[in-house]
Amino acid sequence: MKVVKVVAAVIKAVNENGEPIVFATQRGYGDFKGGWEFPGGKIEEGETPQEALKREIMEELDTEISVGEYIDTIEYDYPTFHLSMDCFWCEVVAGHLVLKEHEAAKWVSKTQIDDVDWLPADVTIIEKIKKAL
């Protein structure tokens, strides 16, 4: 089975009530169009996961991020490929999270995170994220 190696940014901030929140995006293209995920993308030849994440977020959201602590690597078998996804905590450094490829986006708190229709691979990291929020 084909292996697809990607990175995902769990972009963290604080809302007006002082609660930690994370940024979720809704896919605007492909087989999983309409599903929600943490933004990111494929690692290109010669890139570290952190470099790939910074590049992908700049391309997709026109935003500069700092890549923080590694959360986990998710291994998930979709019907036609195996996904290996390195997930990192991130924060916005500059920019306004402009949607260039996604249909929609929203900030969610710990109490709202389960209300999102996450793609299957992203579901597997949610419990770890909730514990850390």
Side-chain angles (χ1 to χ4, degrees), residues 18-48:
E19 294 175 290
I21 51 177
V22 293
F23 192 68
T25 53
Q26 187 178 33
R27 284 184 73 90
Y29 59 91
D31 293 343
F32 303 103
K33 181 177 169 35
W36 288 81
E37 64 186 353
F38 293 106
K42 292 181 183 167
I43 301 171
E44 292 182 356
E45 184 76 31
E47 281 184 320
T48 66

Side-chain angles (χ1 to χ4, degrees), residues 69-105:
E69 188 179 333
Y70 165 80
I71 302 169
D72 201 358
T73 298
I74 302 306
E75 302 289 343
Y76 189 85
D77 287 326
Y78 281 101
T80 58
F81 64 95
H82 176 81
L83 183 74
S84 180
M85 180 170 66
D86 293 339
C87 302
F88 293 86
W89 290 110
C90 298
E91 292 184 0
V92 172
V93 173
H96 300 287
L97 296 166
V98 177
L99 300 184
K100 293 170 134 186
E101 297 180 13
H102 298 92
E103 277 187 20

Side-chain angles (χ1 to χ4, degrees), residues 5-21:
K5 184 86 174 136
V6 299
V7 287
V10 181
I11 302 172
K12 203 169 39 165
V14 176
N15 68 15
E16 62 278 352
N17 300 324
E19 294 175 290
I21 51 177

Side-chain angles (χ1 to χ4, degrees), residues 114-125:
D114 289 325
D115 298 338
V116 174
D117 187 16
W118 296 102
L119 290 172
D122 292 80
V123 167
T124 62
I125 193 80

